[in-house]
Amino acid sequence: MRFTKTTIQQATNLLLKSKNVALFAHTRPDADALGSSVALHLALAKANISSQVFCDSPLSQEMIDMGFDQYVKSEFFGQYDLYVSVDCGDANRIGEFAPVFTSQKNTLTIDHHGGDYYSANNCVILYSATAQIIYEIISGFGIELDKQIATYLYAGLCTDTGCFSHSNTNKDSFLLASKLVEYGVNVEYISRLFFKDTSFKQSKFIGERMNKMLSLCDGKFVVIFAQEQDWQKYGLTRLACEGMVSHAIDVKEAIVAASISQYGENSYKISLRGKNFDVQRICAQFGGGGHKFASGCQINGDLYDIIDKLEREVIYYL
Ligand SMILES: [Mn+2]
């Protein structure tokens, strides 16, 4: 297969000449993956093109509150004339459906991570969110946007920019936000849902985890971690650890932060954040990836061995 670079215009044309499109959001989906996929699905419907959104993972409560569960199927079915991966920097991000996707001829990637091309057509642009690429693509559909589509795109843009505060936030992020808000997006609802709302149990759990945070490398590397019993104690699931890393990187002295959460008996999921410090190269060494200043990976082994391994990597690059 030839992997070619695809412009917005070409991606728009590819979609518009299709009759039935399969859309794949990445595993453990966030609001950009689902907001982009479902917005594209709704826009395609307006252009009289049928499509189906697939994602291999259960949806978090926030995603259900957004209404994404009404559109997303966790079992793959059907035959399509175009297969599209949305917000997936590499084919593995498609998760369980990766083999389905990679065995197709007519594939299109719409993504902003800037990884290697793995589709026949690759519309990869380093925007702050995939939602931004989707907006430009559907602008060529000749349809009228509505509040729902605008809300889904806004959710992707708002969350991927950390509520317009990460270093990937730029003039274009605000320009798009301003266009979307014109359709009546409830800005307060989205920021509350994704950045503020937390249950009492969750607050207690995070409080305890923050109390146990480790300060390494003279305070430049802050680690927050949780094992199964830590969230079970509060009747929570491992989803309680989502976003935990932000509390570590919020420490003023921290240049790098890690959250380490148990994923299996002897396996941990790592999220790394950097302040103008490339954490992608560290995650890549453990087979992970993401963005330059926000990346993740999974490491097998003992919790404290993993902390040591990460500390050695951080020291090397500091
Ligand atoms: Mn994204």
Side-chain angles (χ1 to χ4, degrees), residues 26 30 32-33 87 111-113 128-130 160 291:
H26 63 69
D30 57 17
D32 191 32
D87 199 39
D111 182 53
H112 69 126
H113 293 89
S128 44
T130 294
D160 264 28
H291 300 277

Side-chain angles (χ1 to χ4, degrees), residues 268-284:
Y268 289 83
K269 194 194 140 210
I270 323 294
S271 289
L272 283 182
R273 295 289 181 276
K275 286 178 190 153
N276 209 11
F277 178 95
D278 181 353
V279 289
Q280 199 172 28
R281 60 194 169 181
I282 294 177
C283 288

Side-chain angles (χ1 to χ4, degrees), residues 154 157 164 172-182:
Y154 182 87
L157 178 67
F164 305 97
D172 294 331
S173 334
F174 288 109
L175 274 173
L176 177 56
S178 127
K179 286 179 196 157
L180 296 173
V181 166
E182 266 187 65

Side-chain angles (χ1 to χ4, degrees), residues 285-317:
Q285 298 204 31
F286 298 104
H291 300 277
K292 200 169 176 188
F293 303 130
S295 278
C297 59
Q298 204 170 315
I299 308 180
N300 297 332
D302 169 78
L303 172 65
Y304 292 93
D305 289 343
I306 292 170
I307 294 173
D308 281 347
K309 272 185 194 160
L310 290 170
E311 187 184 11
R312 277 200 295 273
E313 290 297 326
V314 171
I315 289 171
Y316 180 79
Y317 289 113

